[in-house]
Amino acid sequence: MTFRTRREALRTILAGDHCIHPGSVYDAISIRIAEDLGFALGMFGGSAASLAILGDPDIALITLTELAEQMRRMSRAAALPVLVDADHGYGNAMNVRRTVQELEAAGAAGLTIEDTLLPQAFGVDKPQLISLAEGVGKVKAALDGRGDPSLVILGRTGAVSITSLDDAIARAKAYEACGVDGLFFTGITARDQLDAIAAATSLPIVLGGAPESMSDLDYLAARRVRVALQGHAPIAAATLAVHETLKALREGVSPKQLKGLPPSDLTARVMRESDVKQRLRAFLGLAP
């Protein structure tokens, strides 16, 4: 599947009338599993990227090069469309433009550019936003950096929980006027907030999380929410599994007595073993 086909698949989701949950992916194994399980979209979150690549919390330590390279590995491993959390674009508007170019080349189906002030300012313990004017400049630069018109670019804001609902709406309307393909919101905690945002805007909406009271997909779809994230449980579960396995081995448990190991057929599917064997026969003349 070509990169454009993946991007068009994401555009179809955004243009539809249903809301879906994406699969949280962060490496070649997780994206293949998500694809095999039938997820229509993968989400490569910033926190998952930071943990998978650096083992660090999500405090803007990861670099664009590291993020793009990990996306490139996933694009090679599977054809699942992936929406990438590109944070603040790794600098000013000019850096945002390059961020778009690099992630496009790495095979991302879409990406988000947010208006959070990153990295965190000295002496300030609460999240801050850049100005609306700077946010608009970043969005314009992102759109200018796009080479493939099918690449999805979402304007993202966390203003609902950082400043106010009114500010979130003003920023969303400004990003919409720039020509983004959709709007990504974090920090929404109540239905009246989403209702107000949906009434004031017209683009597809992606939610970066919401309380259980807003988990009804039909309700979300009626407010133009097309993608609703569910956090990044897969990497958390993988972390626990590795910890428990190594702990058991360290305590003297025999490898044959370990619990929670995958069956051999699952590992074979994840490795695409049958495809590899076919290529070995075709290209190296090896017997089956």
Side-chain angles (χ1 to χ4, degrees):
M1 183 185 291
T2 65
F3 292 165
R4 175 163 290 189
T5 302
R6 303 178 196 192
R7 291 160 188 164
E8 290 172 348
L10 174 54
R11 286 185 173 274
T12 298
I13 292 171
L14 296 179
D17 56 7
H18 292 83
C19 179
I20 68 164
H21 294 310
S24 176
V25 298
Y26 55 89
D27 66 2
I29 293 175
S30 61
I31 192 173
R32 282 182 171 173
I33 292 173
E35 182 178 60
D36 289 349
L37 290 174
F39 279 93
L41 178 68
M43 180 70 209
F44 187 26
S47 59
S50 186
L51 182 56
I53 297 171
L54 301 179
D56 284 331
D58 188 17
I59 55 172
L61 294 178
I62 196 170
T63 67
L64 169 59
T65 301
E66 291 165 334
L67 183 76
E69 184 56 35
Q70 192 74 347
M71 183 63 246
R72 188 172 290 107
R73 293 187 182 105
M74 290 193 287
S75 295
R76 170 198 168 275
L80 183 69
V82 175
L83 177 61
V84 181
D85 174 3
D87 285 334
H88 62 313
Y90 302 92
N92 64 21
M94 299 303 293
N95 298 102
V96 167
R97 190 175 185 278
R98 184 184 173 211
T99 293
V100 171
Q101 293 172 331
E102 294 295 331
L103 289 175
E104 180 180 308
L111 57 90
T112 68
I113 296 295
E114 67 184 85
D115 51 17
T116 312
L117 178 63
L118 295 172
Q120 191 168 342
F122 176 79
V124 179
D125 60 1
K126 294 182 179 180
Q128 294 177 287
L129 300 178
I130 59 177
S131 69
L132 176 56
E134 185 175 359
V136 166
K138 284 192 170 188
V139 166
K140 288 180 177 179
L143 295 169
D144 184 70
R146 177 169 58 186
D148 180 357
S150 66
L151 177 71
V152 172
I153 295 178
L154 305 179
R156 172 172 169 167
T157 185
V160 174
S161 61
I162 298 175
T163 52
S164 69
L165 175 61
D166 288 342
D167 187 31
I169 290 174
R171 288 169 180 267
K173 291 173 72 173
Y175 302 155
E176 184 172 317
C178 291
V180 295
D181 302 301
L183 301 167
F184 189 117
F185 295 94
T186 60
I188 293 178
T189 58
R191 290 194 173 201
D192 62 331
Q193 294 173 335
L194 179 58
D195 292 346
I197 287 171
T201 60
S202 61
L203 290 176
I205 294 172
V206 177
L207 283 187
E212 280 294 318
S213 61
M214 295 175 61
S215 61
D216 181 4
L217 290 179
D218 289 336
Y219 161 75
L220 294 176
R223 272 67 182 175
R224 294 196 321 282
V225 178
R226 299 297 173 250
V227 180
L229 276 61
Q230 293 182 299
H232 301 292
I235 194 169
T239 300
L240 177 60
V242 171
H243 178 275
E244 292 303 297
T245 301
L246 287 173
K247 181 174 181 289
L249 290 169
R250 177 63 175 163
E251 292 173 350
V253 175
S254 167
K256 293 185 178 180
Q257 295 177 323
L258 290 172
K259 297 179 180 180
L261 296 183
S264 59
D265 63 325
L266 174 58
T267 303
R269 288 199 304 273
V270 171
M271 292 191 300
R272 305 297 192 251
E273 187 175 71
S274 62
D275 294 337
V276 172
K277 286 183 176 180
Q278 182 178 357
R279 295 184 189 110
L280 288 172
R281 291 193 296 269
F283 306 147
L284 294 182
L286 300 182

